[in-house]
Amino acid sequence: MKLIGKILLGLLLTAGAVLGYLSFRKPDSVAPSTVKVEATPERLKRGEYLFTTLSDCDGCHSERDWSKFGAPVLAGRRGVGTVMPPELGLPGRVAPSNITPDVETGLGSWTDGEKIRAIREGVSKDGRALFPMMPYTYYRSMSDEDVYSLVAYMNSLPPVRNAVPRTDLDFPVGLMIKGVPKPSGAVAQPDRGDKLKYGEYLTSIGVCGECHTQAERGELKMDKAFAGGREFQIGRFIVHSANITPDETTGVGTWDEQRFVKRFKDYGNFNLNGSPTANQSNFTLMSWPAMSQLDEDDLKTIYAYLRTLKPIHNPVDSHPAQPNPN
């Protein structure tokens, strides 16, 4: 009995030590750079493209009309922050911040270097680790010039006073995420002449793999990377992400470049005529009207990269029938 007591005491002391370490641990980070981003016309244009289209910052940081297909951004609510719907099954309250330049409730008191560190390294102004639903593990590869452009555009947003509650994660997730942030260092501009490498870069900062890969307890199942089937629910609607590997029967293996580009460009008319009402048969997290504005060459480059992925057979019912509430 004494031996068992000693073992139990040892386990308790070990658990306490681990808990204490995680509680006081600081995320791996470096001091933010002292850079002051110059807002050139080229950077503002590129930054808007990244924010609204390729990297889809609107997807989490803007208030959107979920009653409409593609959930367009509500007028005047770009970047104001929001609280993620509980149906998504997140570990606690996840509230993407107000990232407009409002001093009191947004990023108006942040330096450009602090914004860059948050975007690419996942560390807030106050040194907190950000919940990695903010895809800084992907943005870590974002080039210096692209992140400067993104910050320049964010700085140009109208400041909107909108207090968003702080993210409050369940135990032990709030402790475990402290190990996710990592310094990015300097990141060179990708070579657009290398189509496959540039396609990989666009796919990464477009965070395509995150939604198009199934996850279990928050961890992506990399044996099914890009094979779709991840479930998302907003309100009463449910969608499963598509298989975008080059599998010929369940993915996009039979698609040619023209069909891939057309899939995006066909939604361009919604920007002019407005999105139709959302229903279970068309519900999506993809901001198709915004993504219809992706540069055609970028789409062709992304297509070329996706063709190099391992084909994975994974049938997906993107819009499953809703259960009868009765």
Side-chain angles (χ1 to χ4, degrees):
M1 292 297 293
K2 288 183 178 180
L3 178 60
I4 293 174
K6 288 180 179 180
I7 292 173
L8 290 175
L9 179 60
L11 291 173
L12 287 172
L13 289 173
T14 301
V18 171
L19 182 59
Y21 167 74
L22 291 174
S23 297
F24 292 100
R25 179 186 183 184
K26 301 290 185 184
D28 188 8
S29 66
V30 295
S33 73
T34 58
V35 65
K36 175 63 178 173
V37 173
E38 181 184 359
T40 64
E42 293 78 16
R43 280 180 175 165
L44 289 171
K45 181 179 179 181
R46 176 67 174 174
E48 181 179 16
Y49 179 71
L50 293 170
F51 190 105
T52 64
T53 306
L54 181 60
S55 298
D56 190 27
C57 304
D58 280 328
C60 291
H61 287 280
S62 299
E63 290 182 357
R64 301 163 65 187
D65 184 357
W66 289 102
S67 71
K68 299 290 187 181
F69 172 81
V73 175
L74 293 169
R77 307 304 286 175
R78 170 156 285 146
V80 303
T82 187
V83 177
M84 290 286 103
E87 311 91 83
L88 289 174
L90 298 169
R93 182 179 67 212
V94 177
S97 304
N98 180 343
I99 55 175
T100 74
D102 181 65
V103 174
E104 292 186 21
T105 64
L107 304 186
S109 66
W110 290 42
T111 67
D112 290 344
E114 288 167 341
K115 296 168 192 172
I116 291 167
R117 185 176 67 171
I119 292 167
R120 293 201 302 193
E121 301 177 17
V123 178
S124 182
K125 177 183 174 72
D126 60 6
R128 287 182 298 118
L130 300 177
F131 183 55
M133 185 176 184
M134 161 64 185
Y136 54 86
T137 56
Y138 297 91
Y139 295 163
R140 196 173 287 151
S141 64
M142 187 179 288
S143 72
D144 292 351
E145 184 54 40
D146 272 350
V147 80
Y148 291 168
S149 296
L150 184 55
V151 167
Y153 177 72
M154 288 167 57
N155 291 344
S156 76
L157 292 173
V160 179
R161 182 170 298 182
N162 186 52
V164 177
R166 188 163 172 160
T167 291
D168 185 18
L169 300 173
D170 297 338
F171 176 86
V173 178
L175 300 179
M176 300 303 294
I177 66 165
K178 293 181 180 182
V180 181
K182 290 195 174 24
S184 63
V187 183
Q189 193 73 351
D191 178 10
R192 294 191 180 213
D194 187 333
K195 194 168 187 177
L196 295 183
K197 279 291 185 184
Y198 191 55
E200 182 179 18
Y201 174 78
L202 294 176
T203 303
S204 178
I205 67 171
V207 200
C208 306
E210 181 70 20
C211 289
H212 287 277
T213 303
Q214 293 178 37
E216 187 173 332
R217 296 180 181 178
E219 293 290 328
L220 296 183
K221 300 171 72 172
M222 297 313 295
D223 60 327
K224 291 190 174 181
F226 294 90
R230 187 166 183 177
E231 181 175 293
F232 298 95
Q233 180 176 2
I234 303 289
R236 68 184 189 278
F237 299 139
I238 296 172
V239 67
H240 296 152
S241 59
N243 183 343
I244 56 173
T245 73
D247 181 70
E248 293 193 352
T249 56
T250 65
V252 295
T254 61
W255 292 33
D256 60 15
E257 181 184 82
Q258 182 181 10
R259 181 179 175 184
F260 183 80
V261 171
K262 188 176 184 295
R263 180 75 169 93
F264 288 81
K265 293 301 182 181
D266 278 352
Y267 294 101
N269 64 312
F270 290 164
N271 288 323
L272 299 175
N273 303 324
S275 292
T277 300
N279 56 58
Q280 178 54 27
S281 65
N282 70 10
F283 173 69
T284 178
L285 260 65
M286 288 277 284
S287 301
W288 284 111
M291 290 185 176
S292 71
Q293 303 306 304
L294 280 165
D295 180 81
E296 187 168 326
D297 285 340
D298 282 354
L299 285 170
K300 291 177 179 179
T301 302
I302 291 170
Y303 170 81
Y305 172 69
L306 293 178
R307 297 290 297 179
T308 70
L309 298 177
K310 176 185 175 182
I312 300 175
H313 184 82
N314 186 43
V316 174
D317 181 4
S318 293
H319 298 97
Q322 290 177 297
N324 189 326
N326 299 320

